[in-house]
Amino acid sequence: MNYAKHDAKAHARETMRGIWAAALNPFDADLNLDEAGLRRNIRHWIDDLKIQGLFVAGKQGEFWSMSLDERKRNMSIAVDECAGKAGTIMSISDQNLDTVLELGRHAQDCGADYVVVHAPMLSFMTDRDEALYQYYKHLCDRLDIGIAMWSHPDSGYLMEPETCARIAELPNIMAIKYSVPREMYVRLTEMVGDKILVSTSAEPDWLDNIEELGWQLYLCSSPPYQLQTANDLRMHEYTELAFAGKFAEARRVRDSLDPVRQAIHDSKPGGKPTAHGKYWQELLGQVGGRVRPPMLELTDAEKDAIRKAFEGCGLKL
């Protein structure tokens, strides 16, 4: 780490800017992590697509299907490929707290920039504020690296803005990936916008959030490498236009991607989001690979439908 624990908030505000993408992990025919394929994807994302940071070993990466050693290896590969070229934030999320801490220490030791921790499942609990505060405080007390919160319906609840604002006072809490309705993340931004970085994964809202909320960070999902090619950098383009205050022009570029967004939405089988994302990557010339159980593979008919949608979406290859 190249910052002190108490400087995590300032360091994040200085270094976390622009588009950060959540990496899908390619698995080979035998369901092993395809390390060469992952490295190739990372180089393409950084060098060709100008992605400024990667969210590694998260839900997009099927972390729940990976062993502890595989998750550590996943982090180390990303740090190696991103070094000096892009930032890294490692998901150390797990229901087992000892696993979270072990992964957090590995992230610190391997040179990651930050970590992100999903809100835990809290069975039978309705008043969650104190439990969540103590959970993140426990991590902050034991890790020096900057920690981002992460709230998503998969936990079975959403962290309230007031709870997030309380946790944001902890010294090395520096961001939140807040996958919630817009009114909730607007309220949180108004509460803590000068303390931590607030972001959400909804790409269509990214431009509005730059303009209306002063956001500087897209953290993050797969659109940055599914909506773009080396010859078609419209997400990067509209982001840079927005940062320059050219919002009308940025909006025209953003809206021009609607056919691509629609093609992805309309061709995605509801029960196979990860396999769809990986096949879309393959159509773009990236390394997709297989999914691990319990995720489901695509049928040939589903692949045909996705390919037809892709061919008509207007992306320039």
Side-chain angles (χ1 to χ4, degrees):
M1 290 172 50
N2 56 4
Y3 59 91
K5 181 173 183 171
H6 63 272
D7 292 327
K9 287 178 168 61
H11 191 267
R13 190 162 295 279
E14 180 180 347
T15 61
M16 296 189 83
R17 183 175 176 82
I19 296 169
W20 288 47
L24 286 159
N25 273 326
F27 299 116
D28 66 20
D30 296 318
L31 293 182
N32 298 310
L33 179 63
D34 182 351
E35 295 189 7
L38 177 59
R39 289 180 183 275
R40 175 180 153 190
N41 282 347
I42 290 173
R43 288 193 296 271
H44 169 62
W45 298 338
I46 296 171
D47 297 340
D48 299 328
L49 304 187
K50 304 185 188 302
I51 291 171
Q52 291 161 292
L54 293 181
F55 185 117
V56 176
K59 289 188 289 189
Q60 295 279 4
E62 299 170 76
F63 80 84
W64 59 80
S65 74
M66 300 173 74
S67 70
L68 195 56
D69 286 343
E70 284 180 313
R71 294 177 71 180
K72 291 178 180 178
R73 180 65 180 157
N74 196 183
M75 294 179 191
S76 297
I77 291 170
V79 168
D80 184 46
E81 289 296 334
C82 291
K85 296 174 289 185
T88 55
I89 184 165
M90 307 301 183
S91 172
I92 60 173
S93 303
D94 201 273
Q95 193 65 14
N96 183 287
L97 190 56
D98 289 338
T99 298
V100 176
L101 288 168
E102 184 172 346
L103 289 169
R105 294 184 186 107
H106 177 77
Q108 292 178 167
D109 292 343
C110 77
D113 293 304
Y114 308 101
V115 297
V116 58
V117 184
H118 202 293
M121 291 183 289
L122 296 172
S123 302
F124 313 118
M125 192 180 294
T126 55
D127 184 3
R128 306 179 186 94
D129 180 81
E130 186 63 22
L132 288 166
Y133 179 81
Q134 292 299 333
Y135 177 77
Y136 281 101
K137 184 177 186 302
H138 185 89
L139 299 175
C140 286
D141 287 347
R142 288 158 179 81
L143 297 173
D144 294 326
I145 197 167
I147 300 172
M149 296 176 278
W150 183 7
S151 181
H152 189 282
D154 286 359
S155 294
Y157 61 91
L158 298 176
M159 293 172 65
E160 292 296 332
E162 292 77 11
T163 299
C164 298
R166 183 184 177 201
I167 295 168
E169 298 292 337
L170 294 168
N172 45 328
I173 296 290
M174 31 58 69
I176 182 170
K177 181 178 179 181
Y178 206 28
S179 303
V180 299
R182 193 168 194 269
E183 60 269 20
M184 291 180 69
Y185 68 68
V186 168
R187 195 156 90 246
L188 180 61
T189 301
E190 292 169 349
M191 292 177 180
V192 300
D194 59 339
K195 293 186 180 73
I196 66 170
L197 300 173
V198 181
S199 185
T200 194
S201 59
E203 179 273 329
D205 298 338
W206 168 225
L207 171 55
D208 295 335
N209 292 335
I210 297 172
E211 182 176 13
E212 298 171 15
L213 302 178
W215 282 13
Q216 68 178 60
L217 175 67
Y218 177 77
L219 179 76
C220 50
S221 193
S222 52
Y225 54 83
Q226 292 180 338
L227 296 178
Q228 301 191 105
T229 74
N231 297 312
D232 194 340
L233 297 175
R234 278 178 280 173
M235 186 177 178
H236 172 77
E237 182 182 348
Y238 84 67
T239 297
E240 292 303 306
L241 286 167
F243 283 159
K246 300 177 181 178
F247 294 111
E249 190 175 350
R251 193 162 285 106
R252 285 194 293 273
V253 177
R254 180 197 63 182
D255 294 349
S256 74
L257 282 168
D258 281 346
V260 187
R261 297 184 187 98
Q262 197 66 44
I264 291 173
H265 177 272
D266 291 349
S267 66
K268 185 183 298 184
K272 302 178 180 180
T274 308
H276 177 278
K278 291 186 178 187
Y279 187 59
W280 193 272
Q281 282 185 270
E282 291 176 6
L283 295 172
L284 287 166
Q286 300 172 34
V287 182
R290 295 187 60 191
V291 296
R292 284 180 172 176
M295 308 310 286
L296 301 173
E297 299 283 6
L298 297 169
T299 65
D300 288 342
E302 288 166 338
K303 288 183 177 180
D304 286 343
I306 295 166
R307 185 167 54 251
K308 289 176 183 177
F310 175 83
E311 290 169 351
C313 75
L315 273 177
K316 300 172 187 175
L317 296 177

